[in-house]
Amino acid sequence: MYHVLLGVDDDEKLAEDIADEITNLPGEPEDVFVSVFHSFVDNPAGASATQVGPVRRATERLEAAGYDHEVLEGSGDPAEAILQTAGNEDVDAIAIGGRSRSPAGKALFGSVAQTVILNADRPVIIAGKAED
């Protein structure tokens, strides 16, 4: 079984794009297990990750494609939380969104994606979109 950690932030479209990339991986849905992960930077209301819109969008996409999944959550710096959870869960790959934030930065990913790429000890799948 191939285990993927899907890191989700507050962007619903990007969460859908990342989930779609996972469904495009080689193999059958029953051969892949996905842990959908959201890190709360600030959560004074005590919400759970299942209440976060982008998490719901990603899980809906995975369910529609027949993928088994779970929802995990953490807190603090998103990049550090993703890397720590990837290690704790012993996932085979990390899937996250990347962004370019300006015309000059189109070759660069967002800071969370950059940190994960540079520090991960496992493959990282990037689903991205350009932001103008």
Side-chain angles (χ1 to χ4, degrees):
M1 172 94 32
Y2 197 73
H3 189 179
V4 179
L5 179 68
L6 188 167
V8 176
D9 63 7
D10 295 327
D11 186 324
E12 288 191 13
K13 174 70 171 117
L14 192 54
E16 291 173 344
D17 290 347
I18 302 166
D20 289 345
E21 286 302 317
I22 291 172
T23 66
N24 289 327
L25 290 172
E28 300 300 318
E30 58 268 11
D31 298 330
V32 178
F33 182 77
V34 182
S35 294
V36 180
F37 178 77
H38 179 77
S39 181
F40 290 97
V41 176
D42 185 29
N43 188 13
S48 80
T50 58
Q51 296 172 301
V52 176
V55 171
R56 288 195 310 269
R57 298 295 86 71
T59 58
E60 288 167 1
R61 294 283 179 125
L62 294 168
E63 288 170 2
Y67 286 78
D68 286 333
H69 67 279
E70 66 182 345
V71 175
L72 302 174
E73 62 187 59
S75 61
D77 178 74
E80 290 177 18
I82 288 168
L83 292 166
Q84 181 177 4
T85 302
N88 291 347
E89 297 294 317
D90 195 27
V91 300
D92 297 298
I94 301 168
I96 55 177
R99 299 181 170 94
S100 66
R101 301 189 183 281
S102 69
K106 287 191 179 185
L108 301 176
F109 297 101
S111 61
V112 170
Q114 283 179 319
T115 300
V116 171
I117 291 166
L118 294 173
N119 294 290
D121 59 357
R122 60 203 76 228
V124 178
I125 302 164
I126 301 293
K129 68 177 184 180
E131 292 183 0
D132 294 323

